[in-house]
Amino acid sequence: MEVLARIFRVHIYGSIHVAASVLCLVLMTYHMFQLHVYWPLATFAFCGTMFSYNFMKYDGLFRVKRKASRRVKLIVALSTLAVVAAGVCFFMLKHRTQLSALGILALTALYTVPFFPNQKNLRNWSGIKIYLVAFCWAGVTTVLPLVNADIALGNDAWLKFVQRFLLIIVLILIFEIIDLKEDDPHLKTIPQQIGVKNTKILNVLLLIPFYCLEFFKSYVDVNQLYINILLVGAVALFTIFATPTRHKYYTLFWVESIPIFWYGLVILVSGR
């Protein structure tokens, strides 16, 4: 059991779980637009996410020699392999996809690395984090697969982009509720500004446009409507039961599993 617990902690704190969520959203895009999965791009999204998140958490260990636990050393080693794999896959993408990926990478770098005179990155700018992260997730999981498949970014594509953007905003707000006691007051997160109760109300309200956007697609898939009802219900429950006293695994495992749950439902219903 101890070995399994260690593997689980590496899975969670090594950002493998969040990378799997990104991968599932990428695979959903291929499924919804009836495209064959281009695995170099899917691998790029998975490995790039894993490295990016770990670099944000353990960036000092990538630059200087510092004492670290075995788990952190393993995570740094896995992250190094991930960035190499992402680099190899990057050169297998089409030129326009590479340019789009570089744009998202630039935003990620601004979020992580302090480029400005006051040594602050965008992660420390009040009100910026939530939208930046949602934009990057939506871009990686929606825009990159379609651009690489030479699919025009028409109405359906942008509807999916906005839908993903809203979903990630909602999930981040659950994180911010859980992290309320630990977050620096200067971050001015939404729960800090409007309170936990109002944040929960906002979250549930955001789920309404998330669901309704499905009706504006050029083809409305009835199965997807049923699936999205289940998803909205699950996210609403996670929102309602979120409190600052919850264990970290509430978000780090369960909430971050929502995209995996969503993709699982899609595959289950489609029989593929």
Side-chain angles (χ1 to χ4, degrees), residues 42-58:
T43 303
F44 172 77
F46 177 86
C47 293
T49 300
M50 180 181 166
F51 174 77
S52 297
Y53 271 76
N54 287 340
F55 188 80
M56 283 186 274
K57 290 186 284 188
Y58 312 109

Side-chain angles (χ1 to χ4, degrees), residues 17-23 25-26 49 53 104 131-143 161 164-165 168 171-172 256 259:
H17 193 62
V18 68
S21 293
V22 169
L23 175 61
L25 291 179
V26 169
T49 300
Y53 271 76
I104 294 172
Y131 306 109
L132 180 65
V133 173
F135 182 87
C136 289
W137 271 64
V140 169
T141 64
T142 307
V143 176
F161 179 91
R164 299 275 173 86
F165 182 87
I168 302 307
L171 298 186
I172 293 174
E256 283 186 351

Side-chain angles (χ1 to χ4, degrees), residues 5 13 86 125-126 132-133 151 167 196 199 219 250:
Y13 294 105
W125 287 20
S126 59
L132 180 65
V133 173
I151 302 297
L167 177 63
V196 171
T199 301
Y219 167 73
Y250 186 84

Side-chain angles (χ1 to χ4, degrees), residues 58 61 65-74 76:
Y58 312 109
L61 295 173
K65 291 183 178 180
R66 289 172 53 190
K67 290 183 178 180
S69 66
R70 278 187 185 179
R71 186 180 74 197
V72 173
K73 287 180 179 178
L74 176 58
V76 170

